[in-house]
Amino acid sequence: MPNEINHILVVGAGIAGCSAAIAFRQLGKKVTIIEKSPEIQFNSSGIFIYSNGLYQFNKLGVLKALLAAGFIIENDENQYFTETGLAIVNTYYPRINRDIPGILGIKRAQLHHILLQRMQELGVTLNLGVTVKTLMEDTQNNTVHVSFNQEDNKEFDLVIGADGIRSQMRSWINPDIQPHYTGFGVWRSVHARPHHLTTKIMQMGMGKRVGVLPINPEQMYMFGTIVDHQNTWKPRDQWHNLMKQAFSDFTGGEVVNLFKQLNSQSEILYTAVEEIRMPLPWNKGRTIVIGDAAHASTPFMGQGGAMAVQDACELAEMLQYAECHDHPLDLVQLLQKFSEKRFAMCKFVQDISRAVGENGATETSQDCLMRNQYMQLNAQTKVDDFYKKLLSFT
């Protein structure tokens, strides 16, 4: 293959970056990953990973560790209730194969710990407190010259920007693309898991959603979405009170006791939801962005992490295929083909997720009654169709 790839720089040590580092190291590539933070710190909220995401993590050799550290949702089930606790419908997430659960809950910090351990096992070089100062493409020698804030200048064959929604690497490729506030906010909190809670539960209010699911045998995760068009600043020392107030109309069901538990010592996180919709190309020469840097999504379909790890795996697989089959594409062309392939799938997820959020944000009480009736008739079909469509892109 023209332009042999030996040394890869990954910028950002989140889900996308760690996954890319692992995927390329498994191919025998030399990988250096840099992270601007002086230490690895991730918020302590939860994350749920559906079967399509777990399938990708399995390629990285971490599925067994994830299943051991997290909580496999019983029967792959999602139970839906109203804000007063009345049952609406139960749905079941499909499995890619019988050995991979339909949905896993896990603490974000634990997920990152497992990815970091896997990188260490493989000998990935991780440098903290390091940022890129300059990038310069050398088209004659097919390399990228990179200077850093704390290290000597180095040359790489490929640079992967996985540095999140405010990506520095994206600004080098397309400086016009900036995060767009969506008008939504997400509240998250971590609680002790009641013994009976073994499935994912969603309570559907008017323009609001609250979900709970276990993230390990001892803990569970609660998340709630709200509409906040003004992106109002919320003082951290009042988060526990503000979260209670935001969902004060939830008067029954599992979440009531959880809201009562919130206090100034609770693990709580509030996030204003932003999107990135980066048009093609996602690369400039030998530098490309993946994950939230290219396609940060609203949270309503729970696919952000899955899309990030799939980016990493498919980019590595495309390079491996080209090398093994002496494919005529050079690296820049390969990066463009990768971007085109992933763009369609990520746009589909973003569009569906945004539509779900916007439809819910404008609900009236009558709309909620109609929504619940529609869910009883169609919810499982909608779930199945969504995951069938995701598989069709693969």
Side-chain angles (χ1 to χ4, degrees):
M1 174 186 175
N3 309 331
E4 185 176 356
I5 308 305
N6 293 311
H7 194 184
I8 297 167
L9 173 66
V10 179
V11 182
I15 294 175
C18 291
S19 298
I22 294 167
F24 280 97
R25 186 70 190 121
Q26 288 183 155
L27 297 183
K29 308 300 181 182
K30 181 180 179 182
V31 179
T32 298
I33 181 169
I34 64 171
E35 167 58 44
K36 66 181 179 181
S37 300
E39 56 182 333
I40 299 294
Q41 289 183 325
F42 297 101
N43 69 67
S44 61
S45 65
I47 183 173
F48 38 98
I49 311 172
Y50 297 103
S51 189
N52 64 304
L54 294 172
Y55 179 78
Q56 302 298 326
F57 280 121
N58 191 39
K59 297 177 182 179
L60 303 180
V62 298
L63 179 62
K64 184 177 179 180
L66 291 178
L67 298 183
F71 195 100
I72 300 172
I73 301 305
E74 188 175 9
N75 299 323
D76 307 320
E77 185 177 20
N78 190 348
Q79 300 175 345
Y80 285 92
F81 300 87
T82 68
E83 74 273 29
T84 62
L86 298 177
I88 302 174
V89 69
N90 294 351
T91 61
Y92 302 87
Y93 294 107
R95 295 188 173 205
I96 283 187
N97 64 54
R98 64 181 183 180
D99 297 323
I100 298 180
I103 178 171
L104 176 82
I106 191 169
K107 206 166 188 179
R108 282 181 178 268
Q110 189 62 46
L111 166 61
H112 283 101
H113 176 70
I114 290 169
L115 293 174
L116 291 169
Q117 276 192 321
R118 180 62 174 154
M119 288 197 305
Q120 187 176 24
E121 291 171 3
L122 293 170
V124 173
T125 300
L126 170 62
N127 297 326
L128 301 177
V130 178
T131 57
V132 172
K133 288 177 64 178
T134 62
L135 288 174
M136 185 170 63
E137 186 103 6
D138 184 344
T139 55
Q140 184 173 358
N141 294 309
N142 296 319
T143 58
V144 183
H145 297 273
V146 183
S147 67
F148 303 94
N149 65 326
Q150 293 185 9
E151 299 182 350
D152 295 334
N153 299 355
K154 293 182 180 178
E155 291 185 355
F156 298 91
D157 303 306
L158 169 64
V159 176
I160 301 173
D163 48 343
I165 196 165
R166 285 173 174 75
S167 168
Q168 177 194 13
M169 295 297 98
R170 184 184 63 243
S171 67
W172 188 78
I173 296 170
N174 188 339
D176 294 332
I177 305 303
Q178 299 296 326
H180 169 71
Y181 179 60
T182 63
F184 297 105
V186 180
W187 288 99
R188 300 176 172 94
S189 58
V190 176
H191 303 256
R193 181 183 75 90
H195 179 72
H196 66 272
L197 183 63
T198 58
T199 64
K200 180 186 173 192
I201 292 174
M202 291 293 299
Q203 289 191 226
M204 313 288 286
M206 188 166 62
K208 302 174 185 178
R209 309 284 186 271
V210 179
V212 295
L213 81 163
I215 52 177
N216 58 51
E218 292 77 37
Q219 293 178 303
M220 55 147 293
Y221 164 51
M222 178 166 69
F223 55 95
T225 59
I226 63 168
V227 178
D228 183 5
H229 293 300
Q230 302 305 313
N231 195 10
T232 310
W233 180 73
K234 296 169 177 56
R236 185 181 291 266
D237 63 352
Q238 290 299 309
W239 277 1
H240 59 293
N241 289 324
L242 293 172
M243 187 173 179
K244 289 180 184 179
Q245 293 170 12
F247 301 100
S248 59
D249 48 340
F250 282 69
T251 58
E254 193 69 46
V255 302
V256 173
N257 288 333
L258 299 176
F259 285 122
K260 289 179 181 178
Q261 294 172 10
L262 295 176
N263 58 60
S264 59
Q265 303 304 310
S266 299
E267 292 186 49
I268 302 175
L269 180 69
Y270 179 78
T271 307
V273 178
E274 296 176 306
E275 277 186 327
I276 289 291
R277 289 179 174 257
M278 186 173 180
L280 296 174
W282 288 354
N283 72 298
K284 183 177 181 180
R286 291 172 163 257
T287 299
I288 189 166
V289 289
I290 65 172
D292 280 355
H295 50 75
S297 179
T298 57
F300 300 101
M301 298 307 293
Q303 285 289 325
M307 293 300 101
V309 66
Q310 188 163 349
D311 281 354
C313 290
E314 291 201 4
L315 181 56
E317 288 165 1
M318 288 182 72
L319 179 63
Q320 181 185 34
Y321 181 87
E323 289 180 335
C324 291
H325 293 79
D326 194 25
H327 201 282
L329 289 178
D330 66 18
L331 178 64
V332 175
Q333 291 176 318
L334 185 145
L335 296 180
Q336 292 170 346
K337 291 292 185 182
F338 163 81
S339 301
E340 292 167 3
K341 182 175 186 292
R342 294 297 298 140
F343 180 87
M345 184 178 193
C346 294
K347 182 179 184 300
F348 167 73
V349 170
Q350 285 183 306
D351 289 347
I352 294 294
S353 183
R354 186 66 181 270
V356 168
E358 290 179 344
N359 290 340
T362 58
E363 289 170 340
T364 65
S365 57
Q366 183 61 34
D367 291 333
C368 290
L369 291 174
M370 295 174 63
R371 174 203 66 202
N372 297 346
Q373 292 171 355
Y374 179 84
M375 289 179 65
Q376 290 168 350
L377 295 173
N378 300 287
Q380 187 62 54
T381 299
K382 300 289 282 187
V383 169
D384 293 339
D385 288 349
F386 177 76
Y387 286 95
K388 284 178 183 177
K389 183 67 174 178
L390 289 186
L391 283 175
S392 73
F393 287 107
T394 303

